[in-house]
């Protein structure tokens, strides 16, 4: 190190020379790729205008910053903000961020981004970990700043409490109307419509309801009634596309008190905290039974006769009852060793199911007979597991199947063409915003053309969503139907129910110490059994 001597004779180190490099503007290739997310909470005209205004605003804002370049504008129309899973464009935004296509996200306020504290923070943390910042304009928060996350938690909590308060006020309002008998539900069962704020009979569908009740009393079972209606191509109750008449649909109609003019309200309830979830009311909340809320379709005598017949059916043969009902296990149980179908066997008043090969020759198959009550008990255990744990498992199954399907469809020509159209419309929108910024477009023309481009953009995105997610394969469709079926079934079964077994199970494979139940969607679940018979 060099030295120099001061005037007093002491030594000092040479001063280091520091060169300051002036900051330079980021080149076009390194500009921040900025996206905007907008959401409105209903489909009303005023809110729709607000949606267009937000889209136009962000197009202009991003284009006006020379250090920014437009990544995309993501917007969900008329969709609730209480859960991110119900916002398709929000999910698309997160996907693009994970693929490295976005550097910064602009959002009007935290309540537009999320109304669930946990969900909000988890999303922000994930985005921050991949270098994406979120800027909340209304609160003046930019999550690129490390101190912003604490503020985000505060504001997200406020937004959540606000949403919960609104939901609580709505629930209180509903309950007051239920107590006074003036409650009008948002939906009515098959056979009714809401007109002029009153529940009125839809005569065309009401005739089908009456026919279902009479057919059941005349001896047809629920599966036969459903098959008959499908064969005649009678339109099923409003539901998902391709929905057909099924046993659970017939069962729901036959047991619904609405058809005698009465109403049981609050059969289900919504949780008071986010994320809001609907669940069957098993005593957690009050129920309200009101007679004569609307005109009946079915006479009470007919309705209660059907309820009595439903209880008698599939209860199994009783002492002194020679007219035993056909068993739901008939041609449904197969041997896991030799593949033979099981047959019914009654020994000393007790019912068993036995492999036909073993019955003919014990040495040909080692699987011995199984008491019917053991099969019923195994199904009851399976049923209760499905009611408790089935929904998340089946939901995850559908999600995985859809992801696999979407990947298969990634290179379809019609999807590629739609992606190109979405890109072209976005480019036109950005160009229009640039021209407006330079004063080259009249404001009225700018608003008109911008609204039209946004309309085309949303239409193209919806068409893409329809192609990608609208044609569920058979397994996905059957899994969704199974979930709907489970939702309609009771929370607890005190005894074996043949109709429920028939609705859920396609096949049973019997091995030495276990029964494998194949559900209607192909999912196989195993229950172990105790073998006391040799």
């Amino acid at each position: 190190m060099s030295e120099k001597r001061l005037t007093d004779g002491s030594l000092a180190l040479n001063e280091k020379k520091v060169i300051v490099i002036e900051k330079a503007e980021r080149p076009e290739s390194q500009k921040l790729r900025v996206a905007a997310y907008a959401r409105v909470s209903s489909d009303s005209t005023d809110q729709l205008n607000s949606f267009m205004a937000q889209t136009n605003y962000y197009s202009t804002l991003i284009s006006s910053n020379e250090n920014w370049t437009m990544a995309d504008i993501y917007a969900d129309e008329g969709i609730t903000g209480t859960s991110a899973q119900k916002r398709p464009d929000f999910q698309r935004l997160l996907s693009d961020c994970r693929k490295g296509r976005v550097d910064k996200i602009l959002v009007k306020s935290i309540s537009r981004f999320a109304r669930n504290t946990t969900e909000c923070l988890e999303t922000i943390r994930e985005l921050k970990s991949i270098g994406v910042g979120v800027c909340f304009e209304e609160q003046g928060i930019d999550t690129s700043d490390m101190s912003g996350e604490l503020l985000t938690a505060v504001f997200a909590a406020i937004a959540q409490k606000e949403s919960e308060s609104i939901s609580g006020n709505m629930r209180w309002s509903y309950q007051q109307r239920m107590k006074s008998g003036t409650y009008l539900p948002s939906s009515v069962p098959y056979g009714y419509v809401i007109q002029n704020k009153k529940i009125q009979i839809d005569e065309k569908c009401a005739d089908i309801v009456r026919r279902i009740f009479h057919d059941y009393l005349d001896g047809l079972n629920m599966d036969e009634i459903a098959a008959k209606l499908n064969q005649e191509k009678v339109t099923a109750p409003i539901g998902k596309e391709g929905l057909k008449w099924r046993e659970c649909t017939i069962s729901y109609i036959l047991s619904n008190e609405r058809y005698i003019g009465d109403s049981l309200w609050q059969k289900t309830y919504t949780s008071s905290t986010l994320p809001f979830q609907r669940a069957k009311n098993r005593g957690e909340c009050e129920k309200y039974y009101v007679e004569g809320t609307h005109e009946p379709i079915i006479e009470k005598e007919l309705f209660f006769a059907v309820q009595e017949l439903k209880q008698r059916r599939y209860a199994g043969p009783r002492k002194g009852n020679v007219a035993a009902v056909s068993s739901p296990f008939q041609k449904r149980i197969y041997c896991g060793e030799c593949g033979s179908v099981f047959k019914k066997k009654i020994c000393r008043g007790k019912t068993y199911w036995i492999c036909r090969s073993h019955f003919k020759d014990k040495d040909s198959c080692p699987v011995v007979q199984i008491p019917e009550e053991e099969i019923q008990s195994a199904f009851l255990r399976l049923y209760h597991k499905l009611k408790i744990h089935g929904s998340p498992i089946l939901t995850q199954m559908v999600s995985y199947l859809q992801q696999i399907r979407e990947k298969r469809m990634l290179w379809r020509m019609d999807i590629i063409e739609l992606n190109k159209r979405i890109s072209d419309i976005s480019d036109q929108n950005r160009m229009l915003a640039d021209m407006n910024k330079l004063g080259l477009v009249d404001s009225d023309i700018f608003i008109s053309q911008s609204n039209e481009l946004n309309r085309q953009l949303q239409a193209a995105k919806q068409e893409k969503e329809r192609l990608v997610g609208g044609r569920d394969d058979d397994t996905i469709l059957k899994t969704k139907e199974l979930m709907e079926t489970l939702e309609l079934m009771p929370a607890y079964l005190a005894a074996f129910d043949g109709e429920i077994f028939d609705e859920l199970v396609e096949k049973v494979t019997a091995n030495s110490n276990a029964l494998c139940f194949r559900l209607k969607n192909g999912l196989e679940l195993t229950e172990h059994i105790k073998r006391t018979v040799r």
Side-chain angles (χ1 to χ4, degrees), residues 84 91 123 130 185 191 238 246 261 283 294 302 355 364 416 450 498:
Q91 294 301 320
T123 303
I130 57 178
I238 295 174
R246 294 181 289 135
H294 52 277
L302 174 60
C355 169
S364 64
I416 293 173
S450 180

Side-chain angles (χ1 to χ4, degrees), residues 230-344:
N230 287 327
Q231 186 177 9
E232 296 174 9
K233 297 184 179 180
V234 176
T235 303
I238 295 174
K240 296 183 179 179
E241 188 178 351
L243 184 67
K244 294 184 178 181
W245 289 93
R246 294 181 289 135
E247 279 189 73
C248 65
T249 313
I250 304 298
S251 178
Y252 178 76
I253 288 176
L254 292 175
S255 59
N256 197 331
E257 79 290 336
R258 297 281 187 91
Y259 294 115
I260 57 175
D262 297 346
S263 295
L264 177 61
W265 290 327
Q266 207 153 271
K267 295 177 183 176
T268 62
Y269 70 97
T270 304
S271 61
S272 58
T273 57
L274 286 167
F276 296 130
Q277 295 181 342
R278 291 200 66 78
K280 284 195 175 183
N281 186 356
R282 304 184 182 98
E284 294 86 350
C285 302
E286 293 178 333
K287 293 181 182 179
Y288 305 89
Y289 192 95
V290 184
E291 296 182 350
T293 55
H294 52 277
E295 188 177 353
I297 293 177
I298 300 297
E299 302 83 3
K300 288 190 176 182
E301 293 77 9
L302 174 60
F303 180 82
F304 290 117
V306 166
Q307 307 316 304
E308 184 180 349
L309 179 58
K310 281 186 70 178
Q311 291 180 0
R312 290 203 308 267
R313 284 188 174 184
Y314 292 101
R318 298 178 182 177
K319 188 175 180 180
N321 182 9
V322 294
V325 181
S326 175
S327 172
F329 298 142
Q330 196 74 35
K331 296 182 180 179
R332 196 71 66 87
I333 305 175
Y334 291 81
C335 181
E337 292 290 336
C338 67
S340 299
V341 67
F342 273 46
K343 64 173 289 185
K344 187 176 181 179

Side-chain angles (χ1 to χ4, degrees), residues 240-242 398 401-409 412-415 418 462-478 480:
K240 296 183 179 179
E241 188 178 351
V398 170
L401 289 171
Q402 288 176 333
Q403 288 176 19
I404 293 170
R405 189 178 179 283
E406 287 173 8
K407 289 178 180 178
R408 288 202 310 264
M409 298 181 67
R412 276 181 44 171
M413 288 305 300
D414 48 359
I415 301 294
L418 272 173
Q462 289 172 3
E463 177 65 12
K464 178 182 175 181
E465 178 67 21
R466 186 187 68 81
L467 290 174
V468 171
R471 301 175 184 172
D472 290 341
D473 61 28
D474 191 51
T475 304
I476 295 176
L477 183 60
K478 286 183 178 180
K480 290 181 177 179

